[in-house]
Amino acid sequence: MVIITSNRTREVHDAIRRRCLYHWVDYPDAVRERAILTLRAPQVPEALSAQVVAFVQKLRTGDYFKLPGVAETIDWAAALAALDARELEPAAVDETLGVLLKYQDDIAKLRGAEAARLVAETKAA
């Protein structure tokens, strides 16, 4: 038995594909992701943690090449906390997008007005 995991589509020969069982794991909902973040990054203030998860959940509804996973949520929250952020601010988001997104085109698409809009929506919720 061989288990293959991947976050991306891979070209696999039809003979191998016929012998595979596929199981897709979706992103966790906000409550579950917040619990994971609390467990994995306890140094992140509660208010910031809630805003980070809400921001990432909203971001995942967008059209980006690679959406951030839970690992990126954890890393981003920890980076913001290390910069002494207590809540999301557009400038801090812009400065740390490289932790959250892995492709320059995605970063450029989100930086600036779009990031500020998502921050505002996150705070209003």
Side-chain angles (χ1 to χ4, degrees), residues 100-118:
L100 187 61
L101 299 171
K102 301 306 177 194
Y103 288 92
Q104 187 60 37
D105 289 347
D106 288 346
I107 292 169
K109 185 176 182 177
L110 182 59
R111 180 172 276 137
E114 182 63 11
R117 182 185 69 77
L118 287 179

Side-chain angles (χ1 to χ4, degrees), residues 29-99:
D29 64 19
V31 172
R32 177 87 171 123
E33 189 164 22
R34 181 105 182 267
I36 293 167
L37 182 55
T38 299
L39 180 68
R40 296 292 181 187
Q43 76 279 14
V44 177
E46 190 173 324
L48 179 61
S49 178
Q51 290 177 352
V52 163
V53 169
F55 185 96
V56 172
Q57 293 277 323
K58 287 180 184 299
L59 180 62
R60 287 189 188 130
T61 65
D63 184 27
Y64 295 91
F65 184 72
K66 182 178 184 318
L67 298 173
V70 176
E72 285 79 20
T73 302
I74 295 166
D75 292 346
W76 188 45
L80 289 165
L83 295 171
D84 292 325
R86 294 282 170 219
E87 63 177 19
L88 283 185
E89 296 295 338
V93 171
D94 281 350
E95 292 169 5
T96 57
L97 282 177
V99 180

